[in-house]
Amino acid sequence: MKIPLSNLSFSLLNEDIDISAFRCGEPDLTEFLIEDALENQAARLSVTRIVLHEGQVVGFFTLTNDCIIRKSVSDDDGEEWYPYPHYPALKIARLATHQEFEGRGIGRAMLLKTVAIAMRLSQYVGCRMITVDAKPKSEGFYLKYGFQKALTNKKKDTIPLYRDFYRSYQEAEKGMSL
């Protein structure tokens, strides 16, 4: 059964949150959360947010700065007149749902929160895209939520995806005015 967004809370990872019981289907993601996330956050390399439901950690996502090569972006995205070789982006460095809560809307909630963060960030610094290097078995999840494959791919073990969140915002705004 889906968990309503209103029943989830999001907070920055800190030493007071017990993450020791978190387990997801990707052991390297669990290991990152438990062993590396706080250290990376303290070093200002990434920021991790925890998703809680009834006091239990049900998911987490980690964000960092990124850019995407302009040639990797579809002609329908970005801006034709933009003169630089890269678009500024916010990268989803890690995103995982506790294995007991998969399929209950936690991943979707984390993506919604990421888009909200990107929109807020873009009011202070240039940020147009959200990027993720998806594991092959996670590709469908991101494609379902509007991400597209980057047009150039030099990676072998992950699939670079992006979403022009500002374009989506513009399209939604036009739709609302009808």
Side-chain angles (χ1 to χ4, degrees):
M1 181 164 72
K2 299 281 184 201
I3 298 173
L5 185 60
S6 60
N7 290 2
L8 300 173
S9 64
F10 296 82
S11 64
L12 289 176
L13 175 63
N14 64 63
E15 53 280 333
D16 296 331
I17 298 174
D18 182 11
I19 54 175
S20 62
F22 184 85
R23 297 291 177 273
C24 70
E26 291 285 337
D28 60 320
L29 292 176
T30 299
E31 181 181 317
F32 170 80
L33 176 63
I34 293 170
E35 297 180 15
D36 300 324
L38 268 174
E39 185 178 333
N40 283 7
Q41 193 163 284
R44 300 296 190 256
L45 298 172
S46 61
V47 173
T48 297
R49 285 180 173 72
I50 300 299
V51 184
L52 297 159
H53 174 64
E54 297 178 351
Q56 182 177 356
V57 176
V58 296
F60 80 94
F61 61 101
T62 302
L63 304 176
T64 191
N65 289 316
D66 196 16
C67 64
I68 184 168
I69 298 170
R70 187 174 174 192
K71 292 177 184 174
S72 296
V73 174
S74 164
D75 289 341
D76 294 338
D77 292 318
E79 297 294 344
E80 184 179 300
W81 50 263
Y82 186 69
Y84 302 104
H86 296 86
Y87 283 109
L90 179 66
K91 182 181 215 71
I92 301 171
R94 310 276 191 306
L95 185 145
T97 300
H98 190 294
Q99 57 195 11
E100 294 176 16
F101 288 85
E102 289 179 1
R104 298 185 63 193
I106 307 297
R108 179 181 178 276
M110 290 188 284
L111 284 181
L112 286 170
K113 187 70 166 177
T114 298
V115 170
I117 291 167
M119 288 299 295
R120 179 172 285 159
L121 178 66
S122 71
Q123 294 174 354
Y124 298 96
V125 298
C127 184
R128 176 69 183 242
M129 309 285 174
I130 298 173
T131 61
V132 63
D133 293 331
K135 296 187 181 287
K137 67 182 192 179
S138 299
E139 178 185 11
F141 168 77
Y142 290 104
L143 293 175
K144 181 168 93 173
Y145 291 109
F147 282 76
Q148 299 179 61
K149 286 185 183 182
L151 301 178
T152 56
N153 179 10
K154 296 179 182 175
K155 300 183 187 290
K156 301 283 186 227
D157 56 340
T158 59
I159 301 146
L161 304 171
Y162 76 93
R163 180 169 179 186
D164 183 345
F165 70 87
Y166 185 68
R167 177 78 65 218
S168 301
Y169 171 77
Q170 288 177 314
E171 290 170 359
E173 206 172 50
K174 286 177 190 172
M176 287 189 286
S177 64
L178 295 178

